[in-house]
Amino acid sequence: KSGQQQFKIVLLGEGCVGKTSLVLRYVENKFSETNQSTLQASFLTKNIFVQNIPITLNIWDTAGQERFHAVGPLYYRDSNGALLVYDVTDPDSLTKVKVWIKELRKVLGNDVCIAIIGNKIDLLSGIERDQMNNALISEAQSYATTAGATHYCTSAKTNYGIDDVFLNLTKQMISF
Ligand code: GTP
């Protein structure tokens, strides 16, 4: 394969789980403690090299709050990859991830590479970060397996794990 490849990645998940923060950390290496609710969706681009192939990632960040719930097929259709984000301190946010995965699989089938992201891992103490000691993370991990998705823990605050998420998702999209 040669030339520029473009992939569309959409971020989905409940309000306040850190979708915007993950994208801003990845694309601009910035982090803000203040919460700015995304109104509908916003779009950022990042160019990377993976296995010497130049890749353009078109990253769509969507609104998580129901009151802005115009978010639907318009944003996720044509996606090559989806990051489904939950907050590792908020079990309800994992429920929302499961709802999104069902919808994505229904509409896009197996044509989309899905990663489940447990964000805000910095809020947990060392021992709680271990999936063996964290019921929510281990539930998310086994759910990911059954849903044909991968699972990662990240922190937009400390920049933990984020490059790996995008790199591995991109490798998956390339080989798809
Ligand atoms: P919506 O736009 O409403 O869907 O929210 P969102 O999912 O985009 O969340 P956002 O990125 O706005 O982050 C919400 C709040 O969580 C902000 O106050 C962030 O500073 C904070 N936050 C995001 N990521 C992290 C993280 O990894 N660790 C910690 N401690 N806080 C985080």
Side-chain angles (χ1 to χ4, degrees):
K1 288 172 190 164
S2 64
Q4 194 77 359
Q5 285 202 51
Q6 301 229 11
F7 294 112
K8 175 177 171 181
I9 297 173
V10 67
L11 277 90
L12 296 164
E14 201 170 273
C16 257
V17 295
K19 299 177 295 298
T20 302
S21 301
L22 285 169
V23 176
L24 286 181
R25 174 61 89 182
Y26 180 60
V27 176
E28 296 176 359
N29 200 18
K30 287 182 186 154
F31 177 76
S32 160
E33 294 279 356
T34 52
N35 177 25
Q36 283 272 1
S37 290
T38 305
L39 294 188
Q40 206 156 41
S42 70
F43 166 82
L44 281 172
T45 287
K46 173 123 171 160
N47 294 308
I48 54 170
F49 280 89
V50 177
Q51 294 147 352
N52 291 320
I53 307 168
I55 305 279
T56 298
L57 299 179
N58 296 314
I59 305 169
W60 286 83
D61 174 25
T62 64
Q65 288 187 24
E66 289 297 339
R67 61 195 167 108
F68 304 120
H69 203 74
V71 175
L74 182 65
Y75 293 106
Y76 61 70
R77 72 173 179 207
D78 305 328
S79 290
N80 305 101
L83 299 181
L84 296 241
V85 187
Y86 71 100
D87 173 341
V88 292
T89 68
D90 175 10
D92 286 343
S93 67
L94 181 61
T95 308
K96 187 70 185 270
V97 161
K98 295 177 180 176
V99 172
W100 272 119
I101 292 197
K102 286 194 187 92
E103 180 165 341
L104 287 181
R105 288 293 184 216
K106 199 165 76 189
V107 178
L108 303 177
N110 290 324
D111 292 345
V112 60
C113 300
I114 298 178
I116 299 176
I117 312 298
N119 189 42
K120 306 196 188 183
I121 192 78
D122 61 281
L123 295 178
L124 301 181
S125 68
I127 193 156
E128 294 168 322
R129 280 176 209 176
D130 187 341
Q131 59 147 316
M132 305 298 281
N133 295 305
N134 188 306
L136 187 62
I137 295 174
S138 81
E139 183 191 340
Q141 225 141 16
S142 50
Y143 178 76
T145 310
T146 63
T150 50
H151 177 277
Y152 301 87
C153 288
T154 61
S155 168
K157 185 170 180 173
T158 66
N159 199 11
Y160 173 84
I162 299 174
D163 282 340
D164 273 353
V165 166
F166 283 93
L167 180 62
N168 290 331
L169 188 72
T170 303
K171 285 180 183 166
Q172 225 185 319
M173 295 187 297
I174 290 172
S175 61
F176 196 69

